Each structure stands twice: as C-alpha cells, then as structure tokens.
Amino acid sequence: MRNTACFLMIITAVFISNVTIYADATDDKNKLEAQIDNIKDTLTFGIEDEVKMIIGSSSVALSPEYMQLLFNRYKEAKITLTKIAVVNYLTRISTKDDYFLNFLYNEAIEKKTDPQLKSAIFYYLSEHGSDNEQKLLVDSLDANDDFLKNAASSALKKVKSETILNALMERLNKDLEMRSSDDNDYKPLPDDIIYNMILTFGDQKYANSISYL
C-alpha cells in the first residue's frame, strides 16, 4: 500500500512538472508573439521616437517584412534625426539590400538633402556601397560644404576597394599638382582632408601610397 502511494506521488509530481514546463513554454511563446506584434505596431503606427527606440544601438537585422516597414518610416519621417537613426542602423547591420542602397544613394546626391543626413549616408555607402556608390565619397571631397568634405574623408577610411583607393590617390596627386600650378582659382584640399586620405592609405595598406607614408 505504501509503495502504491509513493508511486502515485511520483506520477503526480512528474505530471505537475510537465504541465508547469508546458505552461512556461506557452507563456514564453505568447510573450515573444506579443513583442513581435508590438514591434510591428510601433513600426506601423508609432511616433518617430518610438521607432528610434526599436532599433536603438542594435546591429541585428529585422525580418524582411519589418525592414520594409522601417524603411517606409524612413521615407515618411519628418525629423532628420529619425532618418539618421535609421541610416546608422542600416550601416551597423550586415544585411545589404539593393533597394535601400539605391534609395540612399539618390538621397546623398540630392542637393536638398540635409548635410547631417548626407554624412550618415556616406558612412552607409562606405560599408555597403559598390565602387559606383563609393565614388561619390571621393567626388564629395570637392564639395562646397566643408562639413561634407570632412564627412566624406572620414567615411573613406572604411573603404577597402582598390578602385576607390586608386581614385583617391589620383585626387591627392591632382591636388599636389594644382598647388604648384599658376591656377589662382584652384582651392587646395584642406590639410585635415589630406591627413585623412593618408590615414586611409595606411589603414588599408595601399601599396601605391608608400611615398606618402
């Protein structure tokens, strides 16, 4: 009789344990689904500050569906800091999307785009752009806006393409040639820009730049 009672107690304990584990798993699943629904609602209907909180300092890509929702919010955003936060997030994640890339490249070449946003896009292009997009960074060294010049030269430190490094070297050589010419209309590149260019060559171990290092 005593053995039967012990056996029943063990069976009851195992049953309760399994029910508890199942309940915990169900609860975790419900919490996760609630979090996912919350993210979707925030990306769809949330204010811009809430959208920024979703991506925060994360470097993990959202699902394709949510990435598209996030980019829709980028296009609709009224506050530049919101757009910058989205671009910074896209820069951090490893996922590359040609649609995002083309859209942001066009933003960068648009004259009306805020300089601070352009600066953020420069860094995005340095991480995810092809030679075609990254060539914009070299061209921007001649921008009228000194802020954009500095932003482009800083972003170029991330570029590893030999094609772009060659273009950067050509621009440096042109600057040195023009400095010694009689062209009084030429505006030399600022010293800090040249310094960044040389740092880029050193960081990327660019062989053709040995004479400058």
Side-chain angles (χ1 to χ4, degrees):
M1 190 74 176
R2 182 179 300 172
N3 290 339
T4 301
C6 289
F7 178 75
L8 289 174
M9 289 176 64
I10 292 172
I11 293 297
T12 301
V14 170
F15 175 77
I16 292 173
S17 175
N18 286 338
V19 168
T20 302
I21 291 172
Y22 176 79
D24 288 344
T26 301
D27 187 49
D28 288 343
K29 180 181 179 183
N30 290 339
K31 286 180 180 177
L32 178 60
E33 289 177 348
Q35 290 173 348
I36 291 173
D37 287 340
N38 182 57
I39 291 174
K40 185 173 184 177
D41 287 345
T42 299
L43 291 177
T44 306
F45 307 110
I47 63 174
E48 292 187 25
D49 279 347
E50 291 175 330
V51 173
K52 288 193 291 183
M53 288 179 64
I54 288 290
I55 53 180
S57 58
S58 173
S59 57
V60 178
L62 297 169
S63 68
E65 177 191 0
Y66 290 174
M67 289 293 286
Q68 187 58 58
L69 287 175
L70 177 63
F71 206 67
N72 289 343
R73 292 306 302 267
Y74 170 89
K75 292 187 287 186
E76 297 167 0
K78 305 299 183 184
I79 303 172
T80 299
L81 289 178
T82 302
K83 291 194 169 195
I84 290 174
V86 174
V87 173
N88 289 342
Y89 167 71
L90 293 174
T91 302
R92 290 193 301 271
I93 65 176
S94 58
T95 305
K96 176 183 174 181
D97 186 290
D98 288 339
Y99 174 75
F100 298 161
L101 176 61
N102 292 334
F103 190 94
L104 292 177
Y105 175 77
N106 288 328
E107 286 264 83
I109 62 177
E110 172 59 54
K111 291 182 179 180
K112 296 179 181 179
T113 301
D114 183 280
Q116 289 186 320
L117 177 57
K118 280 190 179 186
S119 174
I121 295 175
F122 284 170
Y123 281 96
Y124 170 81
L125 296 178
S126 72
E127 291 284 356
H128 299 287
S130 65
D131 289 348
N132 180 59
E133 290 86 23
Q134 291 178 349
K135 179 65 166 56
L136 175 65
L137 305 180
V138 179
D139 295 340
S140 295
L141 296 176
D142 292 310
N144 294 324
D145 189 324
D146 288 340
F147 174 78
L148 290 178
K149 284 183 180 180
N150 281 292
S153 68
S154 295
L156 279 163
K157 294 177 184 177
K158 299 286 186 179
V159 172
K160 296 178 173 60
S161 165
E162 187 167 352
T163 299
I164 300 303
L165 292 173
N166 287 340
L168 195 59
M169 175 59 74
E170 289 176 8
R171 183 63 190 86
L172 178 58
N173 288 334
K174 176 185 175 182
D175 183 74
L176 297 177
E177 291 173 7
M178 294 301 294
R179 283 171 184 258
S180 59
S181 71
D182 296 327
D183 188 348
N184 295 324
D185 294 329
Y186 177 72
K187 295 181 180 180
L189 291 173
D191 290 342
D192 54 345
I193 300 296
I194 292 178
Y195 178 72
N196 279 341
M197 293 166 78
I198 293 174
L199 282 180
T200 299
F201 295 142
D203 290 344
Q204 303 305 330
K205 298 178 175 59
Y206 181 62
N208 294 341
S209 66
I210 292 177
S211 60
Y212 293 101
L213 302 178

